[in-house]
Amino acid sequence: MADKQGNVKRKESTKKKESLKPQEKAKAKESSKPQEKAKAKESSKPQEKAKAKESSKTQENPKPEENAKPLENTKPEENSKGSEDPENPEDKVELMELPPFEVITGDRISSFFFKFQFRNVEYSSGRNKTFLCYSVDIQGGGDVETLRGYLEDEHITAPHAEEAFFTLLLPECKPELRYHVTWYVSSSPCVACAAKIAEVLRSRKDMRLTIMVARLFMWEEPEIQEGLRQLKAAGCKLKIMKPADFVYTWDTYVEPEGQTFTPWVDAQENYEYYDEKLSEILQ
């Protein structure tokens, strides 16, 4: 009896164990899934970080082929020279044929230049030249010799027309002669020219100079005003051109080219304006 009961109990326990195995396996399988997912997630993090780090490096440091192109036109010296070939003799000849503007001398001015450059407007935009018409009466031994002509220059070059008059046309004066010089100038002298003229007048006591100007050059500047006062102190007579002076200059120094000249409508008004300013400066 006892053995039968024992055998029955062992059979029941083995049945319970066998019935529990599928359930325990299922539970173990389900419980292991989150752990495996977590492990897989954790293991994938370093790989993702490494990939992101490598991709960022690639963006920051492009491929050598992209950086291989050199920067073009980086030297300003080369760009400023243009497309000229220094080894080409024809280019050198062309450069020699186009020198900077120089002082030009002659007998008569173009009518176009006179009407534009001598107009006595207050704001002389675009008038970057100085036109100087001169008359020199040389007296000695009862005879009088007269020299007439004109000079023109560019303000960007040196010397200006005022200085060029003394270096090119009247480099020296003979002490036994007397020189009476009259200028009709498109604008009054700059600071440097005023200083040069004053120096010449102080050294040549036998010269008398009268400057008739169409308009005042930058007369608001203190150094310009001081230069004009220095001219007066050296014996130079400064005057503003009247409408009649423009007519005289046209008849004496201009090539009419079939044209006639009538003073501008505002010539008298502008003369009065500049004459008042010059009087204030020289007083």
Side-chain angles (χ1 to χ4, degrees):
M1 272 308 277
D3 292 336
K4 288 183 180 180
Q5 291 178 356
N7 292 330
V8 171
K9 288 181 180 179
R10 280 194 296 269
K11 288 180 180 179
E12 290 177 355
S13 61
T14 54
K15 287 182 180 180
K16 288 181 180 180
K17 286 181 181 180
E18 290 175 358
S19 62
L20 287 174
K21 283 181 181 179
Q23 296 177 359
E24 289 174 357
K25 288 181 181 180
K27 287 182 180 180
K29 195 174 182 181
E30 290 176 358
S31 62
S32 64
K33 283 183 180 179
Q35 294 177 357
E36 292 174 357
K37 288 181 180 180
K39 287 181 181 180
K41 193 173 183 181
E42 290 175 0
S43 63
S44 64
K45 283 183 179 180
Q47 296 176 356
E48 293 174 357
K49 287 182 179 180
K51 289 182 179 179
K53 193 172 183 181
E54 290 176 0
S55 63
S56 63
K57 285 183 179 180
T58 305
Q59 292 176 358
E60 292 175 358
N61 300 320
K63 293 181 181 180
E65 301 86 45
E66 297 175 353
N67 291 333
K69 293 183 180 179
L71 295 175
E72 299 177 354
N73 301 328
T74 55
K75 293 184 179 181
E77 308 88 34
E78 295 176 358
N79 290 339
S80 62
K81 292 179 182 178
S83 59
E84 297 172 358
D85 185 0
E87 298 181 357
N88 190 343
E90 295 182 357
D91 291 342
K92 294 181 180 179
V93 171
E94 290 179 1
L95 290 175
M96 293 176 65
E97 291 177 354
L98 297 172
F101 288 101
E102 298 177 354
V103 173
I104 299 174
T105 61
D107 296 327
R108 288 184 174 268
I109 305 173
S110 164
S111 58
F112 170 80
F113 283 128
F114 173 80
K115 289 182 177 181
F116 179 72
Q117 297 289 346
F118 273 83
R119 186 166 186 177
N120 59 348
V121 291
E122 181 178 358
Y123 300 103
S124 55
S125 176
R127 294 168 174 84
N128 57 351
K129 288 175 174 284
T130 297
F131 280 80
L132 187 156
C133 302
Y134 63 87
S135 174
V136 182
D137 294 331
I138 305 174
Q139 299 176 353
D143 297 329
V144 178
E145 180 185 1
T146 301
L147 305 175
R148 287 193 180 92
Y150 84 95
L151 301 91
E152 68 174 276
D153 69 8
E154 291 280 347
H155 281 173
I156 60 174
T157 60
H160 289 174
E162 297 91 333
E163 183 179 353
F165 174 84
F166 295 110
T167 57
L168 298 179
L169 302 178
L170 203 62
E172 60 181 6
C173 295
K174 297 180 180 180
E176 67 273 13
L177 302 177
R178 296 291 178 267
Y179 299 83
H180 296 272
V181 182
T182 303
W183 290 352
Y184 298 88
V185 194
S186 55
S187 63
S188 59
C190 65
V191 175
C193 288
K196 180 64 177 180
I197 296 168
E199 178 185 350
V200 171
L201 291 177
R202 285 192 293 265
S203 63
R204 301 182 184 183
K205 301 298 183 182
D206 49 3
M207 178 185 293
R208 298 291 179 269
L209 175 62
T210 300
I211 302 180
M212 311 287 293
V213 299
R215 59 185 181 272
L216 295 176
F217 172 70
M218 297 180 65
W219 60 268
E220 305 96 334
E221 301 296 329
E223 58 269 22
I224 293 289
Q225 298 179 5
E226 181 60 27
L228 297 178
R229 286 191 286 267
Q230 290 297 323
L231 284 177
K232 179 183 178 182
C236 177
K237 294 182 179 179
L238 283 168
K239 297 181 180 180
I240 303 297
M241 292 178 66
K242 300 177 181 179
D245 296 317
F246 290 110
V247 175
Y248 170 79
T249 305
W250 172 274
D251 294 337
T252 310
Y253 299 99
V254 177
E255 185 64 48
E257 299 171 344
Q259 301 185 35
T260 59
F261 174 72
T262 302
W264 305 278
V265 176
D266 53 357
Q268 179 64 30
E269 180 182 353
N270 292 339
Y271 156 74
E272 294 173 357
Y273 171 81
Y274 278 126
D275 186 61
E276 180 182 355
K277 297 301 179 184
L278 181 60
S279 299
E280 293 174 357
I281 294 171
L282 298 180
Q283 66 182 5

